[in-house]
Amino acid sequence: MNQQVSITGLSVAKDSAAVNFSLIMGLLPLEFTDCLQDSPYFRDSLHSHEKELERTSSSIKELVKEVKNLLQAAKNLSNAQRRLSQTLINFKFECIGSNQTEDEMVIAQSLKEFGKLIAAIEDEKDRLLDRAYEQFIVPLESFRKEHIGAVKERKKKFEKQTAKFCASQERYLGLSTKKQDTVLQEVS
Protein backbone atom coordinates (compact mmCIF):
# COMPACT_ATOMS: atom_id res chain seq x y z
CA MET A 1 0.00 0.00 0.00
CA ASN A 2 3.03 2.30 0.29
CA GLN A 3 3.15 4.37 -2.86
CA GLN A 4 6.11 6.54 -3.80
CA VAL A 5 5.57 10.26 -4.34
CA SER A 6 8.18 12.72 -5.58
CA ILE A 7 8.19 16.00 -3.70
CA THR A 8 10.66 18.44 -5.22
CA GLY A 9 13.15 15.71 -6.01
CA LEU A 10 12.59 13.73 -2.80
CA SER A 11 10.97 10.34 -2.93
CA VAL A 12 8.65 9.81 0.01
CA ALA A 13 6.32 6.89 0.82
CA LYS A 14 2.60 7.71 0.94
CA ASP A 15 1.91 6.56 4.46
CA SER A 16 1.91 8.07 7.95
CA ALA A 17 5.56 9.04 7.53
CA ALA A 18 4.55 11.12 4.51
CA VAL A 19 1.83 12.76 6.54
CA ASN A 20 4.35 13.57 9.29
CA PHE A 21 6.79 14.82 6.66
CA SER A 22 4.09 17.02 5.16
CA LEU A 23 3.42 18.60 8.56
CA ILE A 24 7.07 19.54 8.84
CA MET A 25 7.34 20.82 5.29
CA GLY A 26 3.76 22.12 4.96
CA LEU A 27 0.58 20.36 4.02
CA LEU A 28 0.31 18.73 0.64
CA PRO A 29 -2.65 19.96 -1.39
CA LEU A 30 -5.82 17.89 -1.42
CA GLU A 31 -6.44 16.45 -4.88
CA PHE A 32 -9.97 16.07 -6.21
CA THR A 33 -9.10 12.75 -7.83
CA ASP A 34 -8.01 11.41 -4.43
CA CYS A 35 -11.36 12.55 -3.04
CA LEU A 36 -13.20 10.48 -5.60
CA GLN A 37 -11.09 7.43 -4.81
CA ASP A 38 -11.54 8.01 -1.05
CA SER A 39 -8.21 6.37 -0.35
CA PRO A 40 -6.70 6.02 3.13
CA TYR A 41 -4.00 8.47 2.00
CA PHE A 42 -6.69 11.04 1.17
CA ARG A 43 -8.39 10.54 4.53
CA ASP A 44 -5.07 10.97 6.35
CA SER A 45 -4.33 14.07 4.33
CA LEU A 46 -7.83 15.44 4.95
CA HIS A 47 -7.46 14.74 8.67
CA SER A 48 -4.11 16.59 8.65
CA HIS A 49 -5.75 19.58 6.98
CA GLU A 50 -8.56 19.56 9.54
CA LYS A 51 -6.06 19.41 12.42
CA GLU A 52 -4.08 22.28 10.87
CA LEU A 53 -7.25 24.33 10.49
CA GLU A 54 -8.08 23.76 14.15
CA ARG A 55 -4.50 24.59 15.17
CA THR A 56 -4.60 27.77 13.10
CA SER A 57 -7.89 28.80 14.65
CA SER A 58 -6.50 28.21 18.16
CA SER A 59 -3.31 30.08 17.33
CA ILE A 60 -5.24 33.08 16.02
CA LYS A 61 -7.45 33.03 19.10
CA GLU A 62 -4.40 32.92 21.38
CA LEU A 63 -2.66 35.66 19.37
CA VAL A 64 -5.72 37.93 19.62
CA LYS A 65 -5.91 37.27 23.37
CA GLU A 66 -2.22 38.14 23.85
CA VAL A 67 -2.48 41.31 21.74
CA LYS A 68 -5.57 42.40 23.69
CA ASN A 69 -3.65 41.83 26.95
CA LEU A 70 -0.72 43.82 25.56
CA LEU A 71 -2.99 46.68 24.48
CA GLN A 72 -4.62 46.72 27.89
CA ALA A 73 -1.22 46.82 29.60
CA ALA A 74 -0.17 49.64 27.26
CA LYS A 75 -3.35 51.55 28.16
CA ASN A 76 -2.64 51.04 31.87
CA LEU A 77 0.90 52.35 31.36
CA SER A 78 -0.49 55.28 29.39
CA ASN A 79 -2.89 56.12 32.24
CA ALA A 80 -0.03 56.05 34.75
CA GLN A 81 2.05 58.30 32.50
CA ARG A 82 -0.90 60.70 32.13
CA ARG A 83 -1.18 60.91 35.91
CA LEU A 84 2.55 61.65 36.07
CA SER A 85 2.08 64.27 33.35
CA GLN A 86 -0.72 65.97 35.33
CA THR A 87 1.41 65.92 38.48
CA LEU A 88 4.28 67.56 36.59
CA ILE A 89 2.00 70.19 35.02
CA ASN A 90 0.44 71.05 38.39
CA PHE A 91 3.76 71.07 40.26
CA LYS A 92 4.40 74.27 42.25
CA PHE A 93 7.08 75.26 44.70
CA GLU A 94 5.98 76.63 48.01
CA CYS A 95 7.63 79.97 48.53
CA ILE A 96 9.61 80.58 51.65
CA GLY A 97 9.65 84.29 51.04
CA SER A 98 7.19 86.53 49.29
CA ASN A 99 8.26 85.49 45.76
CA GLN A 100 9.68 82.42 44.04
CA THR A 101 13.30 82.54 43.05
CA GLU A 102 14.24 82.55 39.39
CA ASP A 103 15.54 78.98 39.66
CA GLU A 104 12.26 77.80 41.20
CA MET A 105 10.30 79.42 38.37
CA VAL A 106 12.56 77.84 35.73
CA ILE A 107 12.25 74.41 37.37
CA ALA A 108 8.44 74.72 37.66
CA GLN A 109 8.16 75.86 34.03
CA SER A 110 10.45 73.02 32.87
CA LEU A 111 8.38 70.45 34.75
CA LYS A 112 5.20 71.93 33.27
CA GLU A 113 6.60 71.70 29.72
CA PHE A 114 7.86 68.19 30.35
CA GLY A 115 4.38 67.21 31.58
CA LYS A 116 2.81 68.67 28.43
CA LEU A 117 5.30 66.74 26.31
CA ILE A 118 4.42 63.49 28.09
CA ALA A 119 0.69 64.26 27.60
CA ALA A 120 1.24 64.83 23.85
CA ILE A 121 3.16 61.56 23.57
CA GLU A 122 0.35 59.74 25.38
CA ASP A 123 -2.25 61.26 23.03
CA GLU A 124 -0.34 59.85 20.05
CA LYS A 125 0.14 56.53 21.81
CA ASP A 126 -3.64 56.31 22.37
CA ARG A 127 -4.25 56.90 18.66
CA LEU A 128 -1.68 54.21 17.85
CA LEU A 129 -3.31 51.73 20.25
CA ASP A 130 -6.76 52.41 18.82
CA ARG A 131 -5.49 51.85 15.29
CA ALA A 132 -3.66 48.69 16.38
CA TYR A 133 -6.96 47.30 17.62
CA GLU A 134 -8.80 48.26 14.44
CA GLN A 135 -6.08 47.12 12.07
CA PHE A 136 -4.81 44.01 13.83
CA ILE A 137 -7.37 42.45 16.15
CA VAL A 138 -10.55 43.14 14.18
CA PRO A 139 -9.25 41.59 10.90
CA LEU A 140 -7.87 38.52 12.70
CA GLU A 141 -11.11 37.92 14.59
CA SER A 142 -13.07 38.51 11.41
CA PHE A 143 -10.93 36.02 9.47
CA ARG A 144 -11.23 33.40 12.19
CA LYS A 145 -15.00 33.76 12.49
CA GLU A 146 -15.90 34.21 8.83
CA HIS A 147 -13.49 31.90 7.05
CA ILE A 148 -12.41 29.26 9.52
CA GLY A 149 -15.80 29.27 11.25
CA ALA A 150 -17.56 28.83 7.90
CA VAL A 151 -15.43 25.79 7.09
CA LYS A 152 -16.17 24.29 10.50
CA GLU A 153 -19.90 24.89 10.01
CA ARG A 154 -19.85 23.23 6.59
CA LYS A 155 -17.98 20.28 8.09
CA LYS A 156 -20.61 19.93 10.85
CA LYS A 157 -23.40 20.13 8.28
CA PHE A 158 -21.67 17.49 6.14
CA GLU A 159 -21.16 15.18 9.13
CA LYS A 160 -24.81 15.60 10.13
CA GLN A 161 -26.00 14.75 6.62
CA THR A 162 -23.58 11.81 6.46
CA ALA A 163 -24.89 10.46 9.77
CA LYS A 164 -28.45 10.86 8.54
CA PHE A 165 -27.60 9.06 5.29
CA CYS A 166 -25.81 6.23 7.13
CA ALA A 167 -28.76 5.84 9.51
CA SER A 168 -31.12 5.61 6.53
CA GLN A 169 -28.92 2.97 4.92
CA GLU A 170 -28.76 0.98 8.16
CA ARG A 171 -32.54 1.11 8.52
CA TYR A 172 -32.96 0.01 4.92
CA LEU A 173 -30.50 -2.86 5.27
CA GLY A 174 -32.08 -4.02 8.50
CA LEU A 175 -35.61 -4.33 7.10
CA SER A 176 -37.42 -7.48 6.22
CA THR A 177 -39.01 -7.62 2.77
CA LYS A 178 -42.51 -6.84 4.09
CA LYS A 179 -41.37 -3.71 5.91
CA GLN A 180 -39.31 -2.39 3.00
CA ASP A 181 -42.29 -1.16 1.01
CA THR A 182 -43.76 0.95 3.86
CA VAL A 183 -40.39 2.37 4.88
CA LEU A 184 -39.50 3.19 1.29
CA GLN A 185 -42.75 5.08 0.99
CA GLU A 186 -41.88 7.00 4.18
CA VAL A 187 -38.42 7.87 2.85
CA SER A 188 -39.80 9.14 -0.47
Side-chain angles (χ1 to χ4, degrees), residues 1-31:
M1 185 120 212
N2 278 348
Q3 297 174 343
Q4 294 293 318
V5 177
S6 179
I7 303 173
T8 61
L10 278 161
S11 181
V12 179
K14 261 189 173 179
D15 60 358
S16 62
V19 173
N20 291 337
F21 176 75
S22 68
L23 289 176
I24 295 168
M25 299 301 292
L27 294 172
L28 298 174
L30 294 173
E31 296 294 332

Side-chain angles (χ1 to χ4, degrees), residues 1 11 14 33 36 60 62 65 67 69 72 74 90 98 100 106 124 136 138 141 149 154 157-158 162 166 169 179 185:
M1 185 120 212
S11 181
K14 261 189 173 179
T33 55
L36 293 174
I60 290 173
E62 183 66 24
K65 178 183 165 193
V67 170
N69 289 341
Q72 186 59 46
N90 296 332
S98 58
Q100 286 183 336
V106 168
E124 291 303 315
F136 190 77
V138 171
E141 285 180 331
R154 282 183 275 189
K157 186 176 179 181
F158 175 78
T162 301
C166 289
Q169 279 186 327
K179 294 181 183 177
Q185 288 174 355

